[in-house]
Amino acid sequence: MMRSQPRQHHSIFSTLLVLVPLLLALLLPYSASAVIEAVQFEDPATEQRYRDLIAELRCLVCQNQNLADSDADLAKDLREKTAEMLRDGRSDAEILSYMQERYGDFVLYRPPLSGSTLALWIAPLVMLLAALIGVLLTIKRRQAAELLRPAHQQNDKQRVQVRNLLKTAPDLNSQSTAGLQKSDPKGDSE
Amino acid sequence: MSLSSRTLRFGIPLLVFLVIAVFLGVGLTLNPRELPSSLIDKPAPAFKLNLLEQPDLAFTPSDLQGQRWLLNVWASWCVGCRVEHPLLNQLALNTDIPMVGLNYKDNPDNARRWLAERGNPYSKIPMDIEGDAGIDWGVYGVPETFVIDENGFIIFKHTGPLDVRAVEQEILPLFSLSTTP
């Protein structure tokens, strides 16, 4: 196996340096919410709770949108219901469980941890761990390969210089040149 | 390179690919609109709504306590309801299943005209004009069909237009009927 880049482990680390912040950026909660109708609340805190709740609840008609983003009739009704319950002084937990009782776990964008959702919750962690172990093993193996590499392969420039020197030394006896030619392809094919 | 590391190098991605392919393949055959109802084996939510044909009378699910009955959620604006309507007419004609048609967020005049054109399979038609009963029953896509048992518990729910398979294999057995009506 030929490994021609001498600084492979460096490039892996720089890739990680770019990748890790990118992946962390994915964890940022997305704050886009387009509420269609104006809903009035007495204080900004309740309005914020309203916005958080309708971002947390899934529209059941257009299934990949939350209540805040959806223009479906049912989403509008459920937004109204949410606002109504907030005005009645109900807690966030009460509102979420009201929706869950009627529409099931599916209505929650963060389903509760239970037997059927266990895989959903732990799969990302397992995959992240597997990926990390894979990356670490690869880095280790490449570093080991780097150390084991024969000295004459470490610098191709030097190698060419040595070849040129050998070519310009016609006085060398033919046996040693033949030996070099024999061993060279053998070393490459390993 | 030894055989085992070659096997690993090609085997692991292949295995991962196959697992993903199987999961996605199964996922393709599932109906994303068929959500598990959280109301199965729960008491039918109560409501008291006026009837389309006799607006001065009301219907409430406890009226049918002690009977096994069917609740069909429909509306004149609902396209899927047109598709399943002939099946409901057949059910009404050939069985004595009590069929209640919850008229969901509809205009009463449109609803009456719709039934006059297509036939009325329902024994009672409560009008849920605001859609509040719909929310309590977890309705998210009309038409929906529920079966409620003698004790007032929901034992079955079908989302979307009924088809012959659903009627023959799922609904009729619940009423101890087996053949095509």
Side-chain angles (χ1 to χ4, degrees):
Chain A
M1 273 269 124
M2 285 288 286
R3 296 194 201 281
S4 48
Q5 298 116 298
R7 290 205 175 124
Q8 198 131 33
H9 58 293
H10 276 237
S11 73
I12 289 169
F13 284 124
S14 54
T15 311
L16 279 178
L17 272 179
V18 177
L19 260 179
V20 168
L22 269 178
L23 288 172
L24 286 177
L26 288 177
L27 298 176
L28 288 174
Y30 71 96
S31 48
S33 60
V35 179
I36 294 115
E37 63 277 322
V39 188
Q40 296 289 319
F41 289 102
E42 308 223 326
D43 58 315
T46 312
E47 187 176 337
Q48 190 53 49
R49 282 173 59 207
Y50 172 73
R51 287 181 187 283
D52 291 346
L53 279 168
I54 60 175
E56 181 85 352
L57 290 164
R58 186 196 296 267
C59 169
L60 295 113
V61 182
C62 21
Q63 301 185 340
N64 292 322
Q65 283 186 307
N66 57 21
L67 289 187
D69 288 336
S70 176
D71 200 17
D73 262 1
L74 181 67
K76 205 176 135 213
D77 289 354
L78 292 180
R79 280 200 297 270
E80 266 170 29
K81 194 86 205 172
T82 308
E84 191 188 307
M85 290 178 82
L86 278 171
R87 288 197 196 96
D88 288 351
R90 312 284 283 272
S91 73
D92 289 4
E94 276 178 313
I95 296 171
L96 289 176
S97 74
Y98 173 91
M99 297 293 177
Q100 196 191 348
E101 274 164 25
R102 282 154 185 79
Y103 296 101
D105 289 349
F106 189 79
V107 78
L108 306 174
Y109 260 114
R110 285 186 294 177
L113 188 60
S114 70
S116 57
T117 59
L118 196 65
L120 194 67
W121 280 97
I122 63 167
L125 285 176
V126 171
M127 283 189 235
L128 188 67
L129 269 179
L132 278 179
I133 290 170
V135 167
L136 283 178
L137 284 180
T138 310
I139 290 173
K140 272 217 160 137
R141 214 188 51 217
R142 292 201 174 164
Q143 279 174 340
E146 194 98 1
L147 289 175
L148 288 175
R149 188 176 297 167
H152 73 271
Q153 278 189 5
Q154 264 172 4
N155 192 330
D156 287 338
K157 217 173 173 184
Q158 281 182 346
R159 213 167 145 206
V160 171
Q161 280 175 342
V162 171
R163 278 228 176 111
N164 289 341
L165 267 176
L166 286 172
K167 270 186 201 154
T168 54
D171 288 346
L172 278 172
N173 87 45
S174 57
Q175 273 181 348
S176 62
T177 322
L180 264 174
Q181 278 169 346
K182 250 184 206 168
S183 67
D184 214 39
K186 206 178 161 192
D188 270 354
S189 69
E190 249 172 25
Chain B
M1 187 175 279
S2 67
L3 185 72
S4 68
S5 81
R6 192 185 289 266
T7 316
L8 278 182
R9 175 162 289 205
F10 293 101
I12 289 178
L14 186 69
L15 203 73
V16 169
F17 168 78
L18 286 178
V19 168
I20 293 174
V22 166
F23 269 91
L24 294 181
V26 170
L28 273 180
T29 65
L30 296 177
N31 177 4
R33 310 212 66 89
E34 201 72 57
L35 301 179
S37 174
S38 55
L39 285 165
I40 297 291
D41 296 329
K42 301 257 171 67
F47 59 79
K48 192 175 170 75
L49 293 168
N50 293 336
L51 301 180
L52 180 72
E53 309 286 18
Q54 302 122 299
D56 47 332
L57 294 179
F59 170 82
T60 178
S62 56
D63 292 352
L64 289 172
Q65 193 81 21
Q67 292 185 62
R68 190 165 280 215
W69 55 288
L70 184 146
L71 181 94
N72 179 248
V73 186
W74 69 285
S76 66
W77 46 260
C78 147
V79 181
C81 301
R82 281 175 220 178
V83 176
E84 68 170 11
H85 204 70
L87 267 174
L88 291 172
N89 283 336
Q90 271 192 41
L91 263 182
L93 197 69
N94 296 300
T95 71
D96 51 5
I97 298 173
M99 289 167 65
V100 175
L102 183 69
N103 188 223
Y104 179 70
K105 300 193 82 171
D106 208 351
N107 171 312
D109 289 334
N110 292 347
R112 277 186 211 103
R113 204 174 312 127
W114 197 88
L115 287 179
E117 274 172 33
R118 293 176 170 81
N120 178 4
Y122 308 115
S123 51
K124 294 271 169 59
I125 306 169
M127 293 183 293
D128 184 19
I129 292 173
E130 299 301 323
D132 287 336
I135 290 181
D136 280 342
W137 282 68
V139 170
Y140 63 92
V142 197
E144 289 190 11
T145 304
F146 298 83
V147 175
I148 299 94
D149 75 2
E150 295 77 2
N151 302 316
F153 282 69
I154 295 176
I155 51 173
F156 171 80
K157 178 187 179 182
H158 179 93
T159 306
L162 288 171
D163 49 33
V164 176
R165 195 204 60 83
V167 171
E168 284 185 356
Q169 293 179 18
E170 297 179 80
I171 293 179
L172 289 181
L174 290 176
F175 291 90
S176 310
L177 299 164
S178 53
T179 44
T180 321

